[in-house]
Amino acid sequence: MNSLAPPRVAGSATRSLLRQVALPVGILVVVTVVDLATGTSTVYYPFLLLAPTLAAATAPPVAILVIGGVSLPLRYWLAANDGYLGPEYSDLFEVSTWMYAMATALAMYLSAARIRHERALVAVSEVAVAAQRAILLPPSDNLGGLRLAVRYFAVAEEAELGGDLYIALDTPFGVRLIIGDVLGKGLGAVRTAAITIGAFREAAYDEPELSTVARRIDVSVTRNAPADRFVTALLVEVRPDRVAFAHRGHEEPVTIRADGSVHVLEPPDPGLPLGLGDLEPEPPPVWVVPFHEGDLLLLMTDGFADARDATGGHYPLVARIRALFGEGRLEDADPVAAVERLGDDLMRHVGLLGLTDDALVLALARATDPPEPHHAP
């Protein structure tokens, strides 16, 4: 089996090189065929200069040198075929030869600069992706009597990764979790997300009040994150038959009851995002709603609200949740099935346009005790 690996690598490299030189080689072939087919009445060989010039966008420098070396004698041959290689054209051809040489050299320089930029971009992207993956760890399937599932859609353009974040912890005060979104993109957003999660880890185990946990995170983000960053967040604490929320400028959660009814949980007193606590002397209180066995809780970031279809229409989140899960379509409050179904529906909405912002959905439900094993008498 190992003996087959080198041919696969070589074949892949060959296909990659063919893709890189397809455009300039195509120009050489098309110009030559058209020039020969139209006879001596028209000339097309000057367009051969496009081959080494446009090759800078795709081909490596060595390939550009070869293309330039082929295009120049091909140009002389086509000129001779069209009757434009006499002594009266010698000065013109001397100038155009220098133009070919300079165009090829410039294309080689631009190609080398492009390759250096692409390699640097790949390195930065790998660092950013690794940092974000360290933040967005997959949750435990069963945490403190809860079933959790997450689906995340990343929009990474030139390492401009988003700052979506979440973490769930089983603390002495019950299961606590945070979902949030950092203003902006890039490594600064990933760093701010790491600061937020680190502060939540510290405070969630120590503070009995969820509002105090939010306050400690707010202080940490204000002190340690870049000045132009803040975090919209929703803190959640699951209690027996209830769930408590601390709202900090985030998207409203949605609950799907066991009877199929869908409820948007709007905070009675919305709070400011984390990092802006100095503007709010008295943070809003925690609010509590019922949460029973068979209920499903959905938490989203604003990537869902920002999603557009081909006509520019927003993703109708609540209407789609009712269509997907309402009226008995919940199927035993399975968080995994819920995030998969909602995520697939979101991607169908945006279609080929794709998402313009990172999107994250987290679902949780109370875990039911497994049935007692049946023993034959």
Side-chain angles (χ1 to χ4, degrees), residues 148-150 166 177 179 297-300 339 360-364:
L148 292 91
V150 170
Y166 70 88
L177 59 93
I179 181 171
L297 178 63
L298 295 176
L299 312 173
M300 287 77 57
V339 298
L360 187 152
V361 56
L362 186 151
L364 65 151

Side-chain angles (χ1 to χ4, degrees), residues 69-217:
V70 171
S71 62
L72 187 58
L74 184 60
R75 168 183 172 276
Y76 274 91
W77 179 65
L78 291 176
N81 182 75
D82 292 334
Y84 289 94
L85 201 60
E88 64 273 22
Y89 301 107
S90 59
D91 293 340
L92 177 62
F93 269 83
E94 181 179 355
V95 173
S96 59
T97 299
W98 280 105
M99 290 177 59
Y100 268 76
M102 289 187 293
T104 302
L106 178 61
M108 293 174 64
Y109 170 79
L110 294 177
S111 173
R114 172 182 56 81
I115 292 174
R116 287 195 300 270
H117 175 72
E118 290 175 351
R119 289 175 177 172
L121 182 59
V122 168
V124 173
S125 298
E126 290 176 348
V127 171
V129 170
Q132 193 173 51
R133 285 178 178 173
I135 294 172
L136 299 177
L137 295 175
S140 173
D141 294 336
N142 192 314
L143 184 69
L146 295 178
R147 291 182 295 160
L148 292 91
V150 170
R151 190 167 181 186
Y152 176 62
F153 301 90
V155 181
E157 298 178 355
E158 299 187 356
E160 290 298 303
L161 296 178
D164 286 15
L165 62 96
Y166 70 88
I167 188 172
L169 303 173
D170 189 5
T171 74
F173 312 102
V175 175
R176 286 176 166 178
L177 59 93
I178 183 173
I179 181 171
D181 187 7
V182 181
L183 172 69
K185 294 181 178 293
L187 289 177
V190 176
R191 177 192 169 199
T192 304
I195 293 171
T196 304
I197 287 180
F200 178 78
R201 281 183 179 274
E202 291 294 325
Y205 286 101
D206 299 336
E207 300 294 343
E209 297 297 331
L210 192 62
S211 58
T212 309
V213 175
R215 181 58 182 168
R216 283 183 55 176
I217 301 172

Side-chain angles (χ1 to χ4, degrees), residues 262-285:
V262 178
H263 304 270
V264 179
L265 307 179
E266 298 183 0
D269 189 4
L272 293 177
L274 301 173
L276 302 178
D278 293 341
L279 304 177
E280 192 175 39
E282 292 295 331

Side-chain angles (χ1 to χ4, degrees), residues 34-48:
V34 172
D35 191 277
L36 293 175
T38 55
T40 59
S41 58
T42 55
V43 293
Y44 289 94
Y45 61 82
F47 291 102
L48 292 173

